[in-house]
Amino acid sequence: MPIVWVTGGAGFIGSHLVRHLVHTQPNWHIVTIDALTYAGNLANLADLKDAPNHTFLRVNIADGPAVEKAWEAYPPDRILHLAAESHVDRSILSPLDFVHTNVLGTVTLLEMARKHWKGRTDVLFYQVSTDEVYGSLAPEDFFREGSSYDPRSPYSASKAAADHFVRAYGHTYGIPYLISNCGNNYGPYQFPEKLIPLTITHLMERKPIPVYGTGQNVRDWIYVEDHVRAIALLAEKGQRGHTYLIGARCPRPNLEIVTLLCDLYDELTGARDSRQLITFVKDRPGHDFRYAIEPSPELHALGWQPQVSLHEGLRKTLHWYLQNQAWVNAVRSGEYQSYYALQYGERLR
Ligand code: NAD
Ligand code: DAU
């Protein structure tokens, strides 16, 4: 039975991926490797606690001896690497945390692969990356396979460095790898620091919704389950050494997303005038203006298409947060309070 590690499997995208693989690959043993930072939560995997083909290990990927111990217990045939510090605003406040996990953590995993996978061609190091490594686009332009890297935030610089290390290990040591770069995911279980769940939780609490700058910055949105199906497909059928762009052709200005959420919220709950909560606040430093993805044709050739439209996805997401207030309260109860005060205290004063 192949052993498949999902690092960051207790986070937002990781938990959807673990659930998908546990259900669709009964002959794989899925091992979630996660340090359970503020962003990782075992409640995200609660429904899998009796799954015979899933194991959870609390491991920090930057801790070599801990990773070695996990390797001895569950030697992986594939590593689907999602563990990361993922929030751009936090990277502006504390860049070193991002270097530690995203760069050192990735290289620690690669070192382990170099040591244990010598000469094996049936293995895979799959680096889950972001469109932010390509920088900011002019209007009408698109990120494409082969676009040059131009990371401009500490977060994207750390992800770009990690991608480069993965390619370097592939080239130098022959480790079979593939990389995919995707845009902004949204859906259930997303930590409420990101734009969509932050907006939803503020709508529920009737608090001002902070929109950076003019709200005209564009992000390319994808429902998390669509991204996860693409990762699962590429993990099986993707070409080694290749980089895939995953996107649902859904670039939208932030203000449009926030306004849509306000209107959907009013429709679903009977609330009124939610748009009045929208509050323009001081911009994010170095805020990239526009992201838009031309998805890889090879991905479509393998049979992948996004299945969830923006409206449907936002509706599902709103529904989930309305029904999971206890989850929101639990994940926000700890460290998030001090981050929120630092990020929004001045902005929403
Ligand atoms: P997330 O912040 O929700 O989850 C990250 C997970 O990694 C958490 O469970 C956390 O506990 C774990 N983690 C953090 N540091 C760790 C460490 N040192 N050792 C072990 N585990 C650690 O992130 P997400 O939004 O689910 O993103 C997952 C991956 O996908 C990241 O690599 C991110 O760069 C990439 N990505 C995210 C998006 C997006 O829109 N969210 C888009 C493209 C790519
Ligand atoms: O593009 C993929 C990336 O998308 C991923 O690699 C990152 O892990 C993920 O966090 C996300 O990064 P963004 O910075 O685009 O996501 P965020 O939800 O933080 O912000 C989306 C947009 O909304 C961005 O233009 C900033 C803006 N924004 C965000 C917040 C939190 C606001 O206007 N107000 C806010 O309070």
Side-chain angles (χ1 to χ4, degrees), residues 126-200:
Y126 184 150
Q127 162 79 349
V128 174
S129 192
T130 170
D131 61 352
E132 301 202 6
V133 296
Y134 300 115
S136 190
L137 286 167
E140 313 300 323
D141 205 358
F142 287 89
F143 298 136
R144 297 189 167 79
E145 280 181 24
S147 291
S148 315
Y149 274 35
D150 182 21
R152 291 146 43 101
S153 73
Y155 164 70
S156 53
S158 69
K159 290 294 292 188
D163 293 6
H164 287 319
F165 269 107
V166 172
R167 290 196 184 93
Y169 271 64
H171 183 73
T172 310
Y173 306 114
I175 291 174
Y177 74 92
L178 74 80
I179 300 179
S180 62
N181 302 79
C182 184
N184 285 58
N185 286 227
Y186 67 98
Y189 297 108
Q190 187 166 32
F191 196 86
E193 63 191 355
K194 307 286 200 294
L195 179 68
I196 287 182
L198 184 95
T199 299
I200 295 174

Side-chain angles (χ1 to χ4, degrees), residues 126-305:
Y126 184 150
Q127 162 79 349
V128 174
S129 192
T130 170
D131 61 352
E132 301 202 6
V133 296
Y134 300 115
S136 190
L137 286 167
E140 313 300 323
D141 205 358
F142 287 89
F143 298 136
R144 297 189 167 79
E145 280 181 24
S147 291
S148 315
Y149 274 35
D150 182 21
R152 291 146 43 101
S153 73
Y155 164 70
S156 53
S158 69
K159 290 294 292 188
D163 293 6
H164 287 319
F165 269 107
V166 172
R167 290 196 184 93
Y169 271 64
H171 183 73
T172 310
Y173 306 114
I175 291 174
Y177 74 92
L178 74 80
I179 300 179
S180 62
N181 302 79
C182 184
N184 285 58
N185 286 227
Y186 67 98
Y189 297 108
Q190 187 166 32
F191 196 86
E193 63 191 355
K194 307 286 200 294
L195 179 68
I196 287 182
L198 184 95
T199 299
I200 295 174
T201 52
H202 282 217
L203 278 165
M204 288 160 70
E205 290 154 9
R206 310 312 287 166
K207 284 184 5 194
I209 298 165
V211 172
Y212 297 158
T214 59
Q216 292 312 308
N217 297 62
V218 173
R219 294 292 180 269
D220 197 343
W221 297 94
I222 185 167
Y223 191 67
V224 61
E225 297 286 348
D226 281 334
H227 183 196
V228 156
R229 283 188 306 100
I231 296 173
L233 182 66
L234 291 175
E236 273 202 286
K237 299 192 173 152
Q239 194 187 321
R240 296 339 187 214
H242 201 79
T243 294
Y244 294 85
L245 258 67
I246 303 173
R249 296 184 193 278
C250 187
R252 295 284 190 284
N254 295 331
L255 188 57
E256 185 178 327
I257 296 290
V258 170
T259 308
L260 248 172
L261 281 169
C262 289
D263 295 351
L264 275 174
Y265 184 83
D266 287 355
E267 188 191 314
L268 283 177
T269 65
R272 289 161 66 103
D273 299 329
S274 287
R275 285 185 185 200
Q276 288 181 7
L277 294 173
I278 295 173
T279 308
F280 294 96
V281 301
K282 188 169 151 236
D283 210 348
R284 171 185 281 175
H287 196 174
D288 281 343
F289 186 67
R290 179 168 178 272
Y291 303 149
I293 294 170
E294 180 63 45
S296 296
E298 296 91 338
L299 191 53
H300 295 309
L302 289 172
W304 179 87
Q305 289 291 343

Side-chain angles (χ1 to χ4, degrees), residues 8 10-14 33-41 59-62 81-86 101 128-130 155 159 182-185 190 194 227:
F12 163 50
I13 303 174
I33 300 281
D34 199 296
L36 298 182
T37 67
Y38 80 93
N41 191 344
V59 175
N60 186 326
I61 55 159
H81 177 36
L82 288 85
E85 288 294 339
S86 69
T101 288
V128 174
S129 192
T130 170
Y155 164 70
K159 290 294 292 188
C182 184
N184 285 58
N185 286 227
Q190 187 166 32
K194 307 286 200 294
H227 183 196

